[in-house]
Amino acid sequence: MNTLNRSIKFALFGTALSALAPMQVTAQQSQVNISVQPLGQALNLLSQQTGTVIIAPSRLVSNKQAVATSGELSVLNAVKKLLQDSGLEAHEEPSGAIVIKKADKRPQTQSKRASTYQAPMDEVVVTALKRDSSLQDTPVAISVLGGDELKAQGVTDFTDLIDSLSGISINSAFGGPENSFITIRGIGGADDYKPNGNPSVALHVDGIYQTSNAYLSMPLFDLERIEVLKGPQGTLYGRNTTAGAINAITRAPGEELNGYADIEYGSYDFVSGTAAVGGKVSDNLGVRVAVLMEQGGGFMDGKGAGNFAGFVPEGTEGIVPPVADPDERDGFGDADLFAFRGTAVYDFDDVTSLTLHYFTSQDRGDTRQYDRIAFADDNPALNAGEGNDPYDFYTSEYYSHEIDVSGFSGDFNRQLQSGMNLDVLFALQSSERNVSGNGDGTSFPRYQYNFDDELDQTSLEIRLSDATGGEFDWIAGAFFINDSVDFTSNWTSYAVLSQYSSPYNQRRNSFATFGNIDWNISNDLVISGGLRYTKDNAKFRGENIDADPWGLSVFEETFQTDANFSWDREFDDSNVSGKLAIQYFVNDNLNVFASVSTAYRGGGFDGTSIFSEEETQPFESEEVLAYEAGARYVTDSINFTFDLFSYDFEELQATARLSNDTNGRTNVGEATVRGAEASIAVTLYEADDHKITFNTAGTYLDTEITEFSSNRVNDVISTIGDPLPGSPEWSQTAALNYQTSLSSNTQLNARLNYSYHGEESNRLNAGDGNTAPSYNLLGVRLDVTFANGLNVYAYGRNITDEVYFLELNGGARLVGAPATYGGGVSYAF
């Protein structure tokens, strides 16, 4: 990919800033002409005529008639007229969507709300069911973070969700922080970091599936919201969703001119800038552009090679190059990121639209380093002289990475005359990465790696869904994806006295058909069922190369295998996943649901370094049987959710010891996950332009490996009964928010954030050196928003300066960020 230098990045960012200018706008009106007819049918017709998303649950609108409506009206006023005398009311979302709910008969009080106001649960629009619905009516465990919330918590990529939501962890093991994977509810911690793997969590951006964990570092910005579906999602989302699915939804252009610019400065010379502008450029075309820039923020200090400076293994003097000493370097870990997104929405007519996205990002930042435990507590043969400071580290090289991601995607939508919606999603996407490191957290190159990969994917999804709002709501579709991975792992090892590599390529195709139907038996009872059939094929070719540049290689003795071989393998599999659910609305505020479902994680091939032919053999797909039950209680002042879940896994995939005593990806056994989640959001006080809200969410996990296969008897004995990796017993988040008006149209918002993450291991067979202790994080944020759209803010994260570790890998540690503070100025219109 072409390289953009830093000056060009700032120039592009400045150009976007200069484009931001406010404009006086008025509510857009449309010509409406709707006769007396069933209310659900009338609302669908209005949606077609105006191109507006209208969420009208069948349980509310069935058996009701619409009032005849005609004239030049805004969409909201037209909906209100259709609903006249129905006992229902319309609420308009910031995104422009309109949600229908039962009318609140209690007296309304007037109060101003700060800009970070969060809508009640029954007013939040989500797409978890592959169609727009209100959050309260969605019978799955789902967490939603809106754009303002994401900004307040500093979420800029998928991995930042870890301390924003309970029940989520991140792991990387030897692959380093740029080769990570996410765990939800204890599922996914046994994943691998290879780019050709099958992650347990399905990542999506604007509905487009991301095939590899390589996309975890994709920057997230200018977002409408992020939806996190917890638990297996095999019916609607397909393979590789045994843990759940995450969907990031970017902001649309909007009907009127709108935008913002934000400049932030923080600890360790961190500088960030985001800007976006969107709106209509013609009656039929809306456009939005957004940019992101990040620089600095490195909080670690490099001490050079330390005791290993100039070291060579005994007897190899003059043959093996000595360990280099890069000298000391303060403030290591700086970001160097630029990203751009362009969105266009073209309305062919009132019922047909096409949305196109183009995205590109370039990351040239420092690769976060492992430090090492203190010299006195470690194996001296691996320790360069480490002290007790976890923010100091020793290395023979200061690693940076090159990560380029770009893609083009689209969504064609048409409301057909036959009472159906047609959606066609398509995408082309690619990624190139070069990442190096030393997983031991030392300057001694025992196993020093360089990973170089190229990924390409194409996907197509076609969906038909019901648009009548009647007794049955259904969706059916087909999905196809092709992805290719070209990957080379290069190793320099003083333990093996050689340089060796494993270049390979994998080509994978997956096809699926699926369907789901909701039967609205009555206004209060809904039964849902769905099935998905998937067919997978993967071809895996490569070779093992021991270059032996020094003529000293002990590769074959170390790995108990022959070196320099090639392979050509193929894997085929198919799966049928299904779900059956029931949802009962006890009253206007409370509904309960229960479900049973199956899902699977595709089989395939190991991918980092192939040291033996046994490691080239495919492993089978992992399957899960899931039981879930939950309750949703919503009033104007309280949102409460409660979920129980139970999962049983077969053919659990993990890295284990193979017959030649090397590590390889294989099926290792069975596991169970039991747990509960609860969340509550409550208004503690609201009067006289003052409002205090509190929300908290917590997850309890009880995971166990019940069956384990390994070439080592001791591994079997020590692993059975252990919890799964990445499954802390307890995790919790909480936030206390205060809003008030300081003066005429000037608002203050103060926020206190808390998160707790219990201890967790990062691998099977984990000992103390692979179990990270629990930690607590506390953060604050203060916003002052003026009437003209100007916002001034300040924040502190980890303000107690707690030393915590995201991961322990034997003597190596990946430390979290210390206390950081910052502030910024934004302007929105």
Side-chain angles (χ1 to χ4, degrees):
M1 291 189 174
N2 295 329
T3 300
L4 292 174
N5 61 37
R6 186 172 300 186
S7 63
I8 295 178
K9 296 177 187 179
F10 278 98
L12 287 173
F13 181 71
T15 300
L17 290 179
S18 66
L20 301 178
M23 177 180 178
Q24 192 71 26
V25 297
T26 58
Q28 189 174 28
Q29 296 191 335
S30 302
Q31 183 64 42
V32 177
N33 185 14
I34 298 176
S35 61
V36 175
Q37 58 188 286
L39 181 56
Q41 184 175 313
L43 290 169
N44 275 302
L45 181 58
L46 179 62
S47 175
Q48 293 177 12
Q49 291 182 358
T50 63
T52 302
V53 173
I54 301 176
I55 308 301
S58 297
R59 62 184 176 82
L60 298 182
V61 300
S62 61
N63 301 320
K64 295 183 185 293
Q65 290 291 108
V67 174
T69 301
S70 62
E72 191 79 14
L73 298 168
S74 70
V75 180
L76 183 61
N77 286 335
V79 173
K80 289 179 177 179
K81 193 166 182 179
L82 291 173
L83 297 179
Q84 189 173 330
D85 299 325
S86 67
L88 305 175
E89 65 182 15
H91 172 85
E92 187 171 18
E93 280 274 287
S95 63
I98 295 176
V99 181
I100 309 302
K101 63 177 185 176
K102 287 191 175 182
D104 188 353
K105 299 181 174 59
R106 292 175 297 177
Q108 298 294 310
T109 58
Q110 298 295 322
S111 65
K112 296 178 181 178
R113 304 196 188 277
S115 61
T116 55
Y117 166 67
Q118 298 294 309
M121 180 184 295
D122 59 345
E123 297 173 3
V124 176
V125 177
V126 297
T127 54
L129 301 180
K130 300 262 183 174
R131 61 178 183 268
D132 295 302
S133 62
S134 66
L135 181 57
Q136 185 192 16
D137 291 342
T138 305
V140 297
I142 179 173
S143 298
V144 179
L145 294 174
D148 290 337
E149 181 82 0
L150 294 166
K151 174 63 179 176
Q153 298 198 36
V155 175
T156 59
D157 60 35
F158 287 109
T159 63
D160 287 333
L161 294 172
I162 305 313
D163 294 316
S164 301
L165 297 169
S166 67
I168 299 183
S169 297
I170 190 167
N171 208 298
S172 57
F174 192 82
E178 305 305 323
N179 293 275
S180 301
F181 41 89
I182 287 181
T183 298
I184 298 179
R185 290 180 170 177
I187 308 166
D191 280 8
D192 57 12
Y193 56 85
K194 292 91 170 178
N196 70 320
N198 291 294
S200 298
V201 179
L203 306 176
H204 295 76
V205 178
D206 290 321
I208 302 300
Y209 175 52
Q210 314 292 301
T211 60
S212 173
N213 277 326
Y215 295 115
L216 268 178
S217 57
M218 178 187 296
L220 301 177
F221 62 104
D222 195 40
L223 295 181
E224 181 72 30
R225 66 187 182 275
I226 289 181
E227 301 175 5
V228 180
L229 285 73
K230 297 181 177 180
Q233 307 293 328
T235 304
L236 287 177
Y237 287 88
R239 67 184 176 101
N240 303 343
T241 57
T242 49
I246 301 176
N247 195 8
I249 295 95
T250 62
R251 290 182 178 175
E255 291 298 317
E256 291 92 22
L257 183 67
N258 68 96
Y260 64 89
D262 187 300
I263 295 291
E264 175 186 330
Y265 180 79
S267 300
Y268 305 100
D269 293 324
F270 176 74
V271 179
S272 173
T274 55
V277 61
K280 288 283 192 179
V281 297
S282 71
D283 290 342
N284 298 90
L285 179 63
V287 174
R288 186 177 188 87
V289 295
V291 293
L292 166 69
M293 177 274 296
E294 291 183 354
Q295 299 283 329
F299 56 82
M300 297 192 73
D301 295 327
K303 298 300 181 181
N307 296 341
F308 290 111
F311 173 83
V312 295
E314 185 177 353
T316 67
E317 294 83 354
I319 303 175
V320 175
V323 173
D325 188 355
D327 296 324
E328 296 188 5
R329 177 174 166 182
D330 293 338
F332 183 81
D334 282 346
D336 183 2
L337 173 69
F338 176 80
F340 168 87
R341 182 189 302 112
T343 302
V345 179
Y346 185 79
D347 298 318
F348 295 92
D349 52 41
D350 291 340
V351 297
T352 310
S353 66
L354 174 65
T355 301
L356 298 176
H357 302 279
Y358 172 74
F359 168 82
T360 185
S361 69
Q362 184 184 84
D363 186 349
R364 296 294 183 269
D366 298 333
T367 301
R368 289 184 60 186
Q369 295 293 293
Y370 291 87
D371 89 309
R372 192 86 187 171
I373 60 177
F375 184 86
D377 301 323
D378 195 23
N379 178 357
L382 294 176
N383 200 301
E386 192 84 38
N388 290 316
D389 189 341
Y391 305 110
D392 291 345
F393 69 97
Y394 289 84
T395 185
S396 60
E397 180 182 346
Y398 294 112
Y399 301 103
S400 61
H401 51 256
E402 298 180 3
I403 302 175
D404 297 322
V405 182
S406 63
F408 173 80
S409 66
D411 183 356
F412 175 80
N413 175 267
R414 180 173 175 81
Q415 293 179 317
L416 306 176
Q417 292 182 352
S418 55
M420 294 187 294
N421 291 322
L422 169 67
D423 275 289
V424 180
L425 284 82
F426 53 91
L428 303 170
Q429 187 168 297
S430 64
S431 168
E432 296 182 19
R433 301 188 307 163
N434 187 277
V435 179
S436 301
N438 190 343
D440 290 329
T442 176
S443 57
F444 176 62
R446 187 165 179 255
Y447 293 104
Q448 187 178 26
Y449 61 83
N450 171 266
F451 297 154
D452 195 343
D453 58 60
E454 296 183 16
L455 292 81
D456 293 282
Q457 69 173 71
T458 59
S459 64
L460 175 67
E461 183 168 355
I462 302 173
R463 301 196 299 257
L464 288 172
S465 59
D466 175 67
T468 62
E471 182 179 358
F472 295 97
D473 291 329
W474 57 266
I475 184 171
F479 174 77
F480 172 79
I481 194 164
N482 169 272
D483 69 320
S484 63
V485 180
D486 291 284
F487 180 58
T488 301
S489 59
N490 297 298
W491 298 84
T492 297
S493 172
Y494 280 21
V496 181
L497 292 175
S498 188
Q499 294 176 338
Y500 47 95
S501 62
S502 295
Y504 71 76
N505 65 75
Q506 177 178 282
R507 304 293 182 263
R508 181 169 49 192
N509 296 298
S510 182
F511 170 78
T513 58
F514 60 91
N516 192 85
I517 187 168
D518 299 333
W519 180 20
N520 300 285
I521 297 177
S522 68
N523 289 347
D524 301 320
L525 182 63
V526 182
I527 292 179
S528 303
L531 285 174
R532 188 182 188 103
Y533 169 78
T534 306
K535 177 69 175 176
D536 290 331
N537 173 266
K539 296 180 179 179
F540 186 51
R541 302 179 179 90
E543 57 184 326
N544 168 278
I545 302 171
D546 178 18
D548 192 13
W550 310 311
L552 301 170
S553 175
V554 292
F555 182 97
E556 295 188 349
E557 294 87 340
T558 301
F559 298 113
Q560 296 295 301
T561 184
D562 294 330
N564 299 307
F565 58 87
S566 61
W567 67 89
D568 187 346
R569 309 288 188 202
E570 187 169 359
F571 173 77
D572 288 288
D573 195 16
S574 61
N575 176 270
V576 176
S577 299
K579 183 174 183 177
L580 182 64
I582 184 169
Q583 186 176 26
Y584 180 68
F585 292 83
V586 180
N587 53 44
D588 292 351
N589 306 111
L590 174 65
N591 74 81
V592 295
F593 64 88
S595 68
V596 57
S597 64
T598 61
Y600 86 109
R601 181 150 64 109
F605 299 95
D606 201 349
T608 296
S609 296
I610 306 300
F611 300 149
S612 68
E613 293 199 47
E614 184 178 2
E615 294 169 78
T616 69
Q617 298 295 333
F619 47 85
E620 298 300 318
S621 298
E622 178 182 286
E623 297 184 348
V624 59
L625 175 64
Y627 300 92
E628 309 231 12
R632 306 286 182 262
Y633 179 74
V634 182
T635 70
D636 275 0
S637 59
I638 297 176
N639 290 348
F640 175 73
T641 72
F642 181 73
D643 296 282
L644 293 170
F645 48 90
S646 174
Y647 310 138
D648 293 302
F649 286 85
E650 294 183 354
E651 299 293 348
L652 183 70
Q653 297 173 10
T655 299
R657 296 284 183 176
L658 303 178
S659 60
N660 69 333
D661 212 29
T662 59
N663 289 319
R665 195 78 183 159
T666 187
N667 302 102
V668 298
E670 300 179 359
T672 62
V673 176
R674 311 285 184 257
E677 282 188 330
S679 70
I680 186 169
V682 58
T683 300
L684 300 176
Y685 176 81
E686 185 173 17
D688 301 326
D689 292 333
H690 297 275
K691 184 177 182 180
I692 301 174
T693 60
F694 173 75
N695 63 75
T696 185
T699 302
Y700 167 75
L701 293 174
D702 179 15
T703 68
E704 183 180 3
I705 300 169
T706 58
E707 181 181 304
F708 185 71
S709 300
S710 172
N711 190 47
R712 289 186 167 188
V713 175
N714 288 339
D715 284 356
V716 175
I717 295 173
S718 63
T719 302
I720 291 179
D722 280 0
L724 286 167
S727 59
E729 185 176 20
W730 290 99
S731 58
Q732 182 183 7
T733 61
L736 182 66
N737 204 72
Y738 170 66
Q739 306 169 33
T740 188
S741 295
L742 297 176
S743 59
S744 176
N745 295 321
T746 299
Q747 297 185 340
L748 178 143
N749 190 90
R751 178 186 179 90
L752 182 67
N753 284 325
Y754 168 79
S755 68
Y756 169 79
H757 202 91
E759 74 170 23
E760 64 179 8
S761 64
N762 74 340
R763 61 177 61 190
L764 300 174
N765 317 119
D768 292 339
N770 294 106
T771 302
S774 61
Y775 61 87
N776 302 269
L777 299 178
L778 195 64
V780 295
R781 183 180 171 100
L782 184 69
D783 287 81
V784 178
T785 305
F786 301 93
N788 62 0
L790 184 68
N791 179 61
V792 180
Y793 62 91
Y795 64 83
R797 297 174 184 142
N798 188 15
I799 59 176
T800 60
D801 202 22
E802 177 159 352
V803 177
Y804 66 103
F805 298 98
L806 301 172
E807 182 178 305
L808 297 184
N809 186 17
R813 309 178 296 185
L814 186 62
V815 66
T820 55
Y821 299 90
V825 178
S826 65
Y827 172 69
F829 60 91

